[in-house]
Each structure stands twice: as structure tokens, then as C-alpha cells.
Amino acid sequence: MANGQAAQDFHSYANPSAVRVRHLDLNWDVLFEQKILKGTAVLTVERISQAEPLILDTRDLKIEKVETSADGVAYSAATFTVGSSDKILGAPLTIPLPAKANRVRIYYSTVPGASGLQWLEPAQTAGKKDPFVFTQSQAIHARSWIPTQDTPQVRVTYNARVRTPRRLLAVMSAENLSGTARDGDYSFRMRQPIPSYLIALAVGDLRFKALSARTGVYAEPPVIDLAAKELSDTEKMVVATERLYGPYRWGRYDILVLPPSFPYGGMENPRLTFATPTILAGDKSLVSLVAHELAHSWSGNLVTNATWRDFWLNEGFTTYLERRILEAVYGRPREEMEAALGLRDLNEEITALEDPDEILHIDLKGRDPDDGSTDIPYEKGALFLRHLEETFGRARFDQFLKGYFNHFAFQSITTEQFTAYLKQNLLDKDPALAARVPVDDWINKPGIPASAPKPASSAFARVEEEGKRWLRGEIPAAKILTARWTTQEWLHFLKSLEVSAGSGAARMAELDQAFHLTRSGNSEIAFQWLLMAIRNRYEPANPRLEEFLTTIGRRKFIKPLYEELAKTPEGKERALAIYRRARSTYHPIAVASIDDVLNWSGQ
Ligand code: BES
Ligand code: ZN
């Protein structure tokens, strides 16, 4: 939100309309032995209402002492209280401020199980020699490693100094001020104001390879060459996005390829996207993830959701932009396939969700904001924008979006602010066209409006035809014309078989023999195949399933696989046997989800 105003954020204890954090100076030692960050955070605050204390969000932080000062001159000891801890929100840290005080220095350390950090043993890395640590702050995990106002409507600039073992390199979502020296002492600066969920750090044996003058990739030594090859279209994507939506405003755009326990596909940390290594398919077929995280540099990082109920402003816009980037770089047929896959996922999700959870402007009060991370904000949000695009025409809609990013640049906005802007700058300019888009239904009602676009792909229609010929017994699996199929066509083929009930263990065996799907090195195809293997009790895939679940920690893959296993008593036994071994290698965020799926209580 703009200065002073505040939207109600149910996921933060902070009081930014009274006291607002503006800048952070962070200073840590990264202690791998103890699995903690230890150091200080100096907060520069703006006092809007003089009598109020500063209220910060924390989760499991060990606060040693707090000091305050005016302009950083002569700090003096301050009192503070840590309130009682809520399972979802953590605990408020309240610091009364003397008159004129505008700096607060907090001495603290994290705990080894901090929800926003994952500490990896050398065995969990590609290099196997050095430990690794990385952060994941979205949605409300920044508070587990930084005591700050952990709400997306508070934006801060930051400086950081990070000391690590000498062999290791630290990277952050910020400008690196330490040049190329690898001496275990690194400095960073983020000059643009960003929300706390975009503050990020990773430390490990990392190498860098430039992709263009302003883009590059970081990864562990065994992965760096493959990563650089796979991601070599990154500059083209930046250029395409700039053409559509205006200049990239963050300086560099680098990608950090993490070890496989990274719980997400990607995370749009500014200047430095964090990515799962499972996108390295060898044929660039999964780089839509880069288009997505890059798009967040406009939708999300530049114009940010003010609260987590406005999450669709981040993810719906980004999913729409992602497909526009793919179309610009790889052509319309690719965009059509991705959109059609997205629509299928959306329809499936809608059959599973309760009505209130199908609303873009979702009510998340009292819930974990990660519960709102369904296909609704992503795919329904994107479909809504596509509806606007198709109704008003590309030229007008592109101009509108570019204007929107400029108008709200470096601000955090609510859904209401978006709809007011939409009305004024698009709908009211052409009431006849506006009448065709039921904006209120899109934003405040469950389901999908009947007038919604129906993305379809002609390539997929051909895939379905091939599949039917095989199912009718007209051709053997080996004769299905798969030679030129892309990953997206394979995914569509496999998903369509499920719908037509055309799988079954025998069918799966035939496909496996012809196409070696159990051995597929493409993570998306392997995931879809393994899901079908569980459903159809296709046992030859069991070892691969076990390997997949014990080496990959990406929640989007492992959660549905555990859920599918848990549907039968034998499956649940197998799931528990695997989870017993894998649990300690998963990220705390993934552990929380899988514990739920398997009703884990330490068996
Ligand atoms: N910002 C999200 C990841 C996220 C969302 C983290 C909510 C924590 C809470 C990121 O941009 C994202 O959407 N990642 C997707 C990949 C994308 C291609 C759809 C993912 O990780 O699967
Ligand atoms: Zn996203």
C-alpha cells in the first residue's frame, strides 16, 4: 500500500500504519555446525503515530537483546516482549520506542528447524563435499530468519553482510558488492523497496556462468554446465517481456539452480530466481518455469499483492505473462499447449475444491496462506486476464497492462485497488465491451464464468487421435506417432488416457515397453507416469517411485504422489516406509505438508 495506509493482513502482527520498517541492515554468521544464522538486524523505522510500539513478526527466533537509537547514534538497551506463539503466525515481538528513536538493533539467532531455511548435509548436494543452506521466505517464513514486519504491504530496502566458511559462496536477492573474491565475507545491497517475502539467501559451493551481459546462472560445479545450456534462452525471454511490458527494472537477472530438495519449482527472488534442478530436462522443455519467475519481475515484485488474499494479483498475472513470453519466444502452438494443460488442471482442481476456495479474492483468515496456493489464483487468474485480452483486443490490453505496471510500480496493492484501476483505465472506456466480462463473477464467485475463454491446442487434438487409435486396438503402442512429440504432448497424452480410463497395468506395461516411461529423465513426465503407476498398480515402476521420492523434494511432485499412495492401506504402508527414510531430507515446508497427508506423528 502507499505510505501510511494499510490493508488488513490477517497473517501479520505488524502495525505498519503506526510504525513502518523502511530499511534493514542485516549481518550474520552462517554456522553450518549448529545449523543457525547468528547476528544482528538493524531496522530503520518511520514513526507515523508517536505513541505506538514497533511490532514485528517472528517465528522461533532466539532474541538476545534489543537496542534503539535516533539515527544510529549511541544505541541504548531497550525492553521487548515476545508474545505467545501461534502455530501459523509465530509470535509478535513488541518493542516500545523512546521519543525520536528510529533505529532498532536486534541481536538474535535462528533455530535449526527454522521454517524458512533448509540446511543440507554434503550428501544432499550435487558435489557431495560441502554443506548448503538456502532460504524460502514466501509466504510467511521470512519471520523465521529475520525479525521484521512480515507482510507484503511493507516494502524495505536492505543491506547485508554474510560470513560463511571460506570455500563457500553466498548469494542474495540483491546486488553483490563483493566482486568475485571468494573469501567467506560477502556484502549485498538491494536499493529498490521489496516486500519481506522476497528477501533470500543461499550459501554453498556455487559456480557462476554468464548467459548474456545481464543474465547468468549459479549452480554447484557438477550442474553448472548443464544448467547454462538449458537456460540459454533467458536473455531472449527478458527482451520479449520488456517489449511487452516495459523495461526490466532490477538490473541483473540471474538464476540459482538449487539442490533437488528445493520445495518449489521456482521462486521469484528479485535479481536472482531460485529454481529446482528438476527443470533441467536436457531439451529446454521445462523452461516455462523461467518465463514464469521472470514475469514476476513485473507482476509480483514490481506490483505486489498487499495481503495473501490478493495472491492472484501475483500468480494469475504471472501465469498470463508467462504464456505471453512463451508465445513470443517459442511461438503460438507452445502457448496453446501450456494454456490447455493449465485449463485441464484448473477444471480438475475445481471439482476437488469447496466453493469458497474457488474465489480469486479468497478469504484466508485463520488459515495458513500456503493453503491459498491452488490452481485458482494461477489458472483462474490467468484465464480472467485472457478473457479481458480477447474481449478488448491485444493492443489495448497490452497497453493497459504496461500502464498498470508503471502506475503501481514498487507498490503493494489490494484486489480493490486493481478493480478500481481496471474500471477507470479499461472498462469505462468501452462499456459495450466491458458488459461482456463479468468482472465481479471472476473475482468474487466460485467456478468459472460460462463466457470464459476455452484455450485449446490443435497439436493436442492430434495426440488424442493417436491415443484413440491405440485404445481401439487399431495400432500397437510402438506405432503411435510419438517421434516429434514435445514434453507437453506427452503430458497431454498421459493425462488423456486417465480420463478415457485407458490405462490399467497391462496398458501401462505396453507403453513402458515401447517408450521406457519408467526411466524418463523428464521430471514432469516421470511424475505423471508414477502417479498413474500408483493408480493402476503398475508394479515395475515401484523402484523408480521410491528413487523419485527419496531424491526430489519438490512439493508439487511429492505431495500428490504421497496422497495417491495413501488412498489404499498397502499404499499407505509403502508411503510411510519411504517417508521414514526421506523425511529428514525434505524441506520444513514440504515436511509440514506430507506430515498432514500421512497423519505423521513420528512413527
Ligand atoms: N511464488 C511462487 C512460489 C510460491 C508460492 C512459494 C506461494 C510460496 C508460496 C512461484 O512463482 C511459483 O509459482 N512457482 C511454481 C512454478 C510455476 C512455473 C507455476 C512452482 O513452484 O511450482
Ligand atoms: Zn509464481
Side-chain angles (χ1 to χ4, degrees), residues 227-264:
K229 260 178 131 172
E230 196 82 8
L231 304 174
S232 64
D233 290 339
T234 302
E235 173 67 26
K236 277 189 218 160
M237 292 188 185
V238 182
V239 170
T241 324
E242 288 189 305
R243 253 187 221 140
L244 286 164
Y245 305 115
Y248 178 76
R249 306 232 207 173
W250 305 89
R252 294 198 56 84
Y253 180 73
D254 294 321
I255 300 166
L256 167 65
V257 177
L258 287 151
S261 68
F262 184 56
Y264 291 102

Side-chain angles (χ1 to χ4, degrees), residues 439-450:
V439 173
D440 184 56
D441 291 359
W442 274 107
I443 294 176
N444 296 308
K445 303 258 165 70
I448 307 174

Side-chain angles (χ1 to χ4, degrees), residues 312-492:
W312 76 277
L313 293 180
N314 278 17
E315 298 300 345
F317 279 62
T318 294
T319 303
Y320 172 81
L321 263 60
E322 168 196 334
R323 306 229 166 102
R324 294 296 304 273
I325 298 168
L326 291 175
E327 177 174 339
V329 178
Y330 301 111
R332 181 74 179 176
R334 173 69 180 272
E335 186 280 339
E336 285 170 352
M337 291 193 263
E338 300 278 358
L341 287 170
L343 180 62
R344 179 202 289 268
D345 289 346
L346 177 60
N347 284 326
E348 273 172 23
E349 185 94 284
I350 283 179
T351 59
L353 290 175
E354 304 284 341
D355 276 5
D357 287 348
E358 295 173 14
I359 292 170
L360 283 180
H361 196 217
I362 187 175
D363 180 7
L364 288 169
K365 188 175 181 191
R367 297 171 68 182
D368 188 326
D370 289 348
D371 288 358
S373 220
T374 66
D375 283 315
I376 298 298
Y378 288 80
E379 295 296 343
K380 184 177 172 181
L383 204 58
F384 172 35
L385 297 194
R386 188 179 174 129
H387 198 187
L388 290 168
E389 178 209 308
E390 290 181 358
T391 307
F392 286 87
R394 254 200 188 174
R396 247 156 119 180
F397 189 62
D398 287 356
Q399 214 194 347
F400 164 79
L401 271 188
K402 197 175 191 172
Y404 164 79
F405 293 132
N406 268 323
H407 182 80
F408 291 114
F410 299 107
Q411 292 183 48
S412 303
I413 68 163
T414 60
T415 297
E416 292 83 355
Q417 281 172 286
F418 165 69
T419 43
Y421 184 87
L422 175 71
K423 186 170 177 321
Q424 206 176 13
N425 295 282
L426 192 69
L427 306 178
D428 286 356
K429 299 204 159 151
D430 198 331
L433 290 181
R436 296 192 205 161
V437 186
V439 173
D440 184 56
D441 291 359
W442 274 107
I443 294 176
N444 296 308
K445 303 258 165 70
I448 307 174
S451 55
K454 298 193 175 40
S457 148
S458 44
F460 282 2
R462 288 192 292 276
V463 166
E464 281 163 45
E465 275 317 305
E466 282 296 297
K468 278 184 197 145
R469 289 175 58 203
W470 172 58
L471 287 174
R472 287 195 297 255
E474 292 165 25
I475 49 169
K479 287 270 152 62
I480 304 175
L481 294 175
T482 60
R484 290 216 293 272
W485 281 3
T486 59
T487 294
Q488 288 66 36
E489 286 162 298
W490 270 109
L491 290 172
H492 182 71

Side-chain angles (χ1 to χ4, degrees), residues 268 292-293 296 315 318 378:
E268 66 270 26
H292 180 97
E293 305 312 336
H296 273 306
E315 298 300 345
T318 294
Y378 288 80

Side-chain angles (χ1 to χ4, degrees), residues 505-560:
R507 289 271 190 204
M508 300 230 6
E510 197 190 339
L511 284 179
D512 210 6
Q513 220 164 31
F515 306 114
H516 311 295
L517 291 158
T518 299
R519 292 209 314 256
S520 173
N522 183 300
S523 62
E524 293 281 350
I525 293 175
F527 163 70
Q528 177 60 32
W529 179 251
L530 292 172
L531 203 58
M532 293 165 68
I534 302 170
R535 285 187 189 136
N536 294 288
R537 298 170 193 265
Y538 176 61
E539 293 185 356
N542 285 355
R544 176 77 171 109
L545 174 65
E546 204 165 315
E547 181 206 35
F548 194 91
L549 287 173
T550 51
T551 52
I552 293 175
R554 184 173 174 187
R555 194 169 66 162
K556 177 185 131 182
F557 291 153
I558 64 173
K559 188 167 178 248

